[in-house]
Amino acid sequence: MLLFYLLVAFFAIQLIYYLFVFVRLALHKTVNEPVSEIEPPVSIIICARNELKNLKANLQRVLEQDYPRYQVIVVNDCSWVESEKYLEELSATYKHLKIVSIKEQERYQHGKKFALTIGIKSALFDHLLLIDADCYPASNQWMRLMMQPYKQQTRIVIGYGAYIKSSSILNRWVRFDTAFNAMQYLSFALSGNPYMGVGRNLSYQRSLFFENKGFARHQHIMSGDDDLFINDTATAENLSVQINPDSFTYSQPKTDFIDWFRQKKRHISASRLYKFKHKFLLGIYYFSHISFLVLFIALLIIQFKIEYVVAAFSLRLVFQMIIFGSCLRKLKEGDLIPFIPVFDIWIAVVYPFIAISNRLIKTKTWK
């Protein structure tokens, strides 16, 4: 009987998250008209370490944005000489491209935060827009759309960094995992509790960076150049969301599960430094998610009130399919909707395993 009551309690918690958090993104209206006629000058920052192939594939799409005034800063972080030569050739054509090179130092090993800090210090303009070297913007309106939500109080704009589609099951899983994380941080932001953004598509003010003393609070860990900075500085008033599909960025996902696992470990490792309220809210969601599925299986095995247990599972699935389905369509990931039930279970298996792995093995490099 206790197990059944616990199942009902976790079912209720899950519904609260669906109906009061995730529904914010599901019902969110995409604004296509400019909020303001003012288009502030922008410094785009890209950190690149031995990214010659990606720079050749993606950089020109960033350099050819339809926007009145901007610069593109590529922080060439200890890369091989071929990358520097390519960037210098490109700068002859694109005068708004600025190259900042960091040389290798044997006695001082640094991560992405150092490279990003160098790029921010080199920026001419207060409005920054971050994208990774392996990403490209969905359109030449990307910059305009990411600046669109800025108004008087806005100091941060978070967007969606998607992955390129293919037909493999791993590709579908990686895209679902990415979309699911976006559903969380976008929905929380829309409900007044922003807690993170992703460096593949993120904007904030240079002045905010220096007011916060950069990455000083979490300089000692390798990850967190995006989510921890937003967790430190974002409020319901100073952060806005942009989910117009033309504002998305795209990159190639991992094609090997082990590579994805390592990447995911690095991303999750930063969450232990989130503010308590965010860790609590996310923890309650995941705990209720995992516990509900475990109790569902346990009650089926012991055959206790099967009709009620199945009804609870079915009702949860209906809400999940409707609300998550709407969110996935907004993120242009509608082809993943049929996989929601399978990947929902997979999350309950893989995420705890990654969390345990992070306790045992620490990530030491950003590339």
Side-chain angles (χ1 to χ4, degrees):
M1 184 65 72
L2 176 61
L3 294 182
F4 178 74
Y5 286 139
L6 287 173
L7 178 83
V8 172
F10 292 132
F11 168 75
I13 292 171
Q14 288 278 283
L15 284 192
I16 289 172
Y17 277 88
Y18 294 154
L19 296 176
F20 293 95
V21 180
F22 291 114
V23 76
R24 303 297 184 109
L25 178 60
L27 300 179
H28 184 65
K29 301 285 186 182
T30 301
V31 178
N32 294 311
E33 296 77 21
V35 175
S36 170
E37 293 181 0
I38 300 174
E39 295 181 324
V42 180
S43 293
I44 299 175
I45 301 178
I46 303 170
C47 296
R49 177 175 289 183
N50 296 325
E51 297 271 14
L52 179 60
K53 181 180 177 181
N54 287 323
L55 290 172
K56 286 183 175 180
N58 303 320
L59 183 53
Q60 284 182 275
R61 300 195 203 192
V62 177
L63 289 164
E64 294 174 358
Q65 287 291 298
D66 178 18
Y67 200 79
R69 190 181 180 200
Y70 69 101
Q71 66 171 164
V72 178
I73 300 172
V74 177
V75 182
N76 193 31
D77 186 12
C78 306
S79 298
W80 298 318
V81 68
E82 289 82 2
S83 296
E84 191 166 359
K85 285 182 178 178
Y86 173 71
L87 290 169
E88 288 173 352
E89 290 171 4
L90 213 57
S91 65
T93 303
Y94 298 97
K95 303 302 181 184
H96 55 301
L97 171 61
K98 180 176 182 178
I99 307 162
V100 179
S101 293
I102 301 174
K103 302 301 181 183
E104 190 79 58
Q105 298 181 40
E106 290 184 9
R107 294 184 179 181
Y108 179 65
Q109 300 295 319
H110 64 266
K112 186 179 179 182
K113 288 175 187 171
F114 178 78
L116 187 52
T117 300
I118 295 297
I120 292 172
K121 287 182 176 180
S122 303
L124 288 176
F125 308 124
D126 191 46
H127 286 75
L128 308 175
L129 184 53
L130 311 184
I131 185 172
D132 286 347
D134 63 347
C135 299
Y136 63 85
S139 74
N140 68 352
Q141 298 301 306
W142 165 63
M143 190 186 311
R144 177 169 281 114
L145 288 166
M146 287 299 291
M147 292 300 108
Q148 184 189 81
Y150 274 101
K151 45 187 182 290
Q152 187 173 4
Q153 289 184 305
T154 306
R155 307 194 74 184
I156 303 167
V157 176
I158 57 175
Y160 179 50
Y163 283 117
I164 298 168
K165 298 178 182 179
S166 74
S167 59
S168 73
I169 190 64
L170 178 61
N171 176 272
R172 290 188 174 101
W173 160 245
V174 172
R175 287 193 293 116
F176 183 87
D177 172 66
T178 301
F180 179 64
N181 287 330
M183 286 160 53
Q184 291 176 89
Y185 67 74
L186 293 171
S187 296
F188 270 79
L190 291 168
S191 64
N193 281 296
Y195 71 90
M196 69 163 282
V198 292
R200 299 192 304 276
N201 198 8
L202 174 64
S203 176
Y204 51 80
Q205 291 180 331
R206 185 174 184 266
S207 53
L208 179 67
F209 180 83
F210 289 115
E211 288 167 17
N212 191 61
K213 298 182 180 179
F215 305 122
R217 191 179 73 86
H218 43 85
Q219 189 67 49
H220 60 288
I221 69 168
M222 194 60 62
S223 58
D225 55 276
D226 45 13
D227 57 342
L228 288 180
F229 179 78
I230 300 305
N231 197 260
D232 283 345
T233 59
T235 67
E237 293 75 29
N238 75 0
L239 181 142
S240 293
V241 167
Q242 176 57 276
I243 59 165
N244 186 305
D246 284 338
S247 74
F248 296 169
T249 62
Y250 287 90
S251 59
Q252 287 287 351
K254 300 297 184 184
T255 56
D256 180 85
F257 180 80
I258 299 300
D259 288 341
W260 171 83
F261 186 84
R262 288 171 180 160
Q263 181 186 58
K264 188 68 177 179
K265 268 172 51 67
R266 187 172 70 250
H267 293 166
I268 289 181
S269 67
S271 63
R272 62 186 175 84
L273 293 179
Y274 287 179
K275 293 175 182 175
F276 174 79
K277 68 174 182 177
H278 299 135
K279 289 193 288 186
F280 178 78
L281 290 170
L282 291 168
I284 289 293
Y285 174 76
Y286 281 112
F287 183 73
S288 64
H289 174 190
I290 296 167
S291 298
F292 177 84
L293 294 177
V294 170
L295 289 170
F296 170 71
I297 295 170
L299 288 167
L300 285 183
I301 291 173
I302 65 175
Q303 298 185 355
F304 183 85
K305 294 186 180 292
I306 291 181
E307 64 276 15
Y308 294 108
V309 171
V310 172
F313 181 87
S314 300
L315 187 57
R316 174 183 177 272
L317 182 59
V318 168
F319 278 103
Q320 197 177 50
M321 293 296 289
I322 293 171
I323 295 174
F324 281 13
S326 178
C327 292
L328 287 172
R329 280 189 287 270
K330 278 190 166 56
L331 299 177
K332 294 300 178 183
E333 305 285 10
D335 63 305
L336 299 175
I337 293 174
F339 296 91
I340 290 174
V342 175
F343 289 150
D344 179 65
I345 296 171
W346 187 236
I347 284 172
V349 174
V350 173
Y351 280 21
F353 185 74
I354 293 174
I356 293 170
S357 177
N358 269 336
R359 293 285 183 177
L360 301 176
I361 304 172
K362 306 297 182 184
T363 302
K364 296 182 179 179
T365 60
W366 76 273
K367 290 294 287 183

